[in-house]
Amino acid sequence: MRVLPFATLGLMICAVCSLAAAQDTAPKEDGKLRIIVFGAHPDDAEYKAGGTAAKWAKAGHHVKLVSVTNGDIGHWQMAGGPLAQRRSAEAKACAKKLGVTSQVLDIHDGELLPTLENRQKITRVIREWKADIVISHRPWDYHPDHRYVGVLVQDAAFMVTVPFFCPDTPHLKKNPVFLFSSDGFQKPYPFHADIAVSVDDTFDQKIDGLHELTSQAYEGGAGGSEEHLATVPPSADPAARKAWLKARWSDRQSREADRYRDVLITLYGEERGKAVKHAEVFEICEYGRRPNMAEIKTLFPFYDGK
């Protein structure tokens, strides 16, 4: 009997595992867009792009929200496996409300590093989804996990098309458009909005989704406390809780709309752009495919009254 070298055997096992994952997660070939949004923790992708994700999903496009870490230290009262399981379940429940798919990678919260192994993981996730659009944090942020998600996604931006990098997962023939979600950090350069999306029509749906992220939306995550809980309506009154959450997010998304009103007007036209109350915004990454205005309106099919 022929004995295979360990490296060859490992590659074969990896190929089988990767194929199974692709069969489980890849959307069907139906001509619709495939969008993947990376966040560092099981709430980041939902916070940054939940409204736009719901818009794409309503139009029949395929959206996956990926948490690169399992969030297992993201709470002030609990940690470890129980928290990781709780947050994964919250992300799944949120995704169901948004009409999208959720995935949480098994990397410890606060321990993400831009290693070759993690670059390979990100590359495989993008390839398995056959993504047309990839969204992530910018690679400069207050949280190291956020920064390194940005670095890893940028590092994958070229590698997703290279046939012999992670050859067990078929490479993409066309490079996706890579985008950054918004933030307020100024150095080394501030966020620049190239794309702004009205989420007025999915704002309530986004709130319904975020309502499922109890450990973060209401309990405050790692920055929570008993004092914070005292400011939040009790869990026994879900309607009051959701109203509290909606007010906070209305303020946040309204500020996004007001700050980037010029981009909204450029994309929607003056009348519609001026009327937008809530927005999510994105910056085009220099890596990957650089879309022109016509392609932006194809990838974001919301600007012509659709």
Side-chain angles (χ1 to χ4, degrees), residues 5-275:
F6 179 79
T8 302
L9 182 61
L11 183 59
M12 291 174 62
I13 293 170
C14 187
V16 172
C17 293
S18 180
L19 178 59
Q23 290 173 336
D24 289 342
T25 62
K28 61 184 179 180
E29 298 280 0
D30 58 4
K32 294 292 188 177
L33 295 170
R34 299 153 184 259
I35 301 98
I36 192 160
V37 186
F38 288 99
H41 309 102
D43 65 343
D44 289 318
E46 295 81 356
Y47 283 169
K48 292 294 186 179
T52 307
K55 288 174 77 77
W56 272 313
K58 278 187 172 183
H61 303 295
H62 306 287
V63 186
K64 175 184 274 194
L65 307 182
V66 178
S67 175
V68 181
T69 78
N70 61 18
D72 58 358
I73 61 168
H75 201 277
W76 58 283
Q77 279 186 319
M78 62 185 301
L83 179 59
Q85 292 177 359
R86 181 185 182 192
R87 295 191 69 184
S88 180
E90 289 178 347
K92 185 176 181 179
C94 178
K96 186 175 181 180
K97 292 289 181 68
L98 298 177
V100 305
T101 298
S102 175
Q103 182 178 5
V104 178
L105 304 185
D106 193 21
I107 299 172
H108 289 302
D109 188 349
E111 299 181 15
L112 181 66
L113 292 172
T115 62
L116 175 59
E117 178 185 7
N118 288 334
R119 185 191 307 165
Q120 291 169 335
K121 286 182 181 179
I122 298 299
T123 297
R124 288 189 176 101
V125 171
I126 294 170
R127 285 178 175 178
E128 288 168 359
W129 200 249
K130 300 179 182 178
D132 297 297
I133 303 170
V134 180
I135 302 174
S136 76
H137 302 286
R138 294 200 305 158
W140 18 87
D141 198 302
Y142 72 103
H143 196 304
D145 289 345
H146 290 208
R147 288 199 301 274
Y148 293 143
V149 166
V151 170
L152 286 163
V153 171
Q154 282 191 329
D155 287 349
F158 180 78
M159 306 311 292
V160 293
T161 65
V162 177
F164 290 102
F165 184 76
C166 301
D168 51 290
T169 308
H171 67 285
L172 299 184
K173 302 295 179 63
K174 184 179 181 181
N175 208 297
V177 170
F178 287 80
L179 305 172
F180 294 128
S181 53
S182 64
D183 63 55
F185 299 101
Q186 301 299 301
K187 295 180 180 180
Y189 72 86
F191 173 83
H192 172 80
D194 297 298
I195 298 166
V197 178
S198 168
V199 294
D200 288 340
D201 57 333
T202 55
F203 182 70
D204 286 343
Q205 187 178 359
K206 178 174 181 175
I207 298 305
D208 287 342
L210 300 188
H211 176 73
E212 301 294 336
L213 304 176
T214 306
S215 67
Q216 310 301 303
Y218 299 118
E219 296 174 12
S225 64
E226 293 287 356
E227 290 75 19
H228 169 77
L229 282 181
T231 69
V232 180
S235 57
D237 191 351
R241 273 197 157 195
K242 193 175 290 188
W244 176 87
L245 186 65
K246 184 174 181 177
R248 290 166 64 91
W249 276 92
S250 180
D251 177 67
R252 181 169 175 170
Q253 310 275 206
S254 295
R255 282 187 278 113
E256 292 275 82
D258 290 340
R259 185 178 298 121
Y260 302 107
R261 184 68 59 189
D262 59 332
V263 184
L264 289 166
I265 290 172
T266 296
L267 290 166
Y268 284 97
E270 186 165 4
E271 183 178 356
R272 292 180 67 205
K274 284 183 175 179

